[in-house]
Amino acid sequence: MTTRTDALTRREQILKEAARLFAERGFHGVGVDEIGAAVGISGPGLYRHFPGKDAMLAELLVGISGRLLDGGRRRVAEADGVPEQVLASLIDGHIDFALDDRPLITLHDRELDRLRDSDRKLVRQLQRQYVELWVDVVRKLHPEIPEGQARAAVHAVFGLLNSTPHLGSGANGLPGRAAMEALLRRLAHGAFASLSA
């Protein structure tokens, strides 16, 4: 008998493989049969979990935006309002995303425009809320800078952190996970610290 947990696990497997395949070959370059084969089920078997590829793409992109926002809110709450701790925690959380969910960054860059208008608007709304968490803490740390400059700095740091899919892998690409995490952390903190320079 299949339990609800098994169904959720299978659904997550499908989404993970769909994200990887879409990022590697593009949304239109991947068929449901290939996604199904990657998780050990028939292509038509995917329709028990998703109505189609469009629904997978929407769930991936809306889902990651929602997870980033929820995680950011949790980190803000756990840092007890200490701005330095809040910023450090937000940076660490986004670094985890940038290193662990590289296919989703590629997918967002390439395929966001393929979403239905309502899903694309929801992604943008979630992203704006996530950005504002960061802007709020940056302004607490640097009250002398205008809000627009704080927002530009946040977007610049996102660009830096979200560049990981473009760095490749192996000897000429990303260093090991711990080394890359430490490098990204130094670069992000340095970028925000330069606001006071």
Side-chain angles (χ1 to χ4, degrees), residues 64 68 92-102 104-105 162:
I64 192 55
L68 282 169
D92 286 349
H94 202 94
I95 288 171
D96 285 341
F97 159 68
L99 293 176
D100 298 337
D101 291 307
R102 294 169 68 197
L104 289 174
I105 296 171
N162 291 346

Side-chain angles (χ1 to χ4, degrees), residues 17 28 44 62 123 135 159 178:
E17 289 304 315
H28 289 301
V62 172
V123 167
V135 170

Side-chain angles (χ1 to χ4, degrees), residues 6-181:
D6 292 334
L8 289 173
T9 300
R10 174 62 76 182
R11 188 176 178 86
E12 290 167 358
Q13 289 172 346
I14 292 167
L15 287 172
K16 181 178 179 181
E17 289 304 315
R20 181 183 64 78
L21 291 167
F22 292 159
E24 286 176 3
R25 298 203 304 265
F27 180 74
H28 289 301
V30 178
V32 292
D33 289 337
E34 294 169 273
I35 298 168
V39 294
I41 61 176
S42 69
L46 290 177
Y47 294 112
R48 281 179 279 181
H49 303 278
F50 297 95
K53 284 193 330 179
D54 291 337
M56 288 180 219
L57 181 64
E59 187 160 332
L60 284 164
L61 295 180
V62 172
I64 192 55
S65 297
R67 283 198 325 265
L68 282 169
L69 177 59
D70 291 345
R73 286 176 172 159
R74 188 188 76 252
R75 288 172 177 277
V76 168
E78 289 171 353
D80 293 326
V82 179
E84 294 82 4
Q85 291 177 13
V86 173
L87 184 61
S89 186
L90 286 172
I91 289 171
D92 286 349
H94 202 94
I95 288 171
D96 285 341
F97 159 68
L99 293 176
D100 298 337
D101 291 307
R102 294 169 68 197
L104 289 174
I105 296 171
T106 301
L107 198 58
H108 180 276
D109 289 348
R110 288 187 194 157
E111 310 291 354
L112 181 63
D113 289 341
R114 297 195 191 286
L115 293 181
R116 294 178 309 176
D117 284 345
S118 58
D119 289 327
R120 190 169 49 254
K121 285 177 184 174
L122 179 55
V123 167
R124 293 296 190 203
Q125 177 187 16
L126 294 167
Q127 289 174 336
R128 279 191 299 274
Q129 292 175 52
Y130 181 61
V131 167
E132 292 312 309
L133 289 176
W134 287 67
V135 170
D136 182 58
V137 72
V138 169
R139 294 214 60 217
K140 286 176 180 167
L141 288 166
H142 303 281
E144 72 283 2
I145 69 166
E147 184 176 330
Q149 189 175 342
R151 190 168 290 107
V154 167
H155 282 288
V157 169
F158 286 174
L160 168 86
L161 298 178
N162 291 346
S163 68
T164 56
H166 309 291
L167 301 177
S169 58
N172 295 321
L174 290 172
R177 169 87 156 99
M180 192 65 200
E181 184 179 340

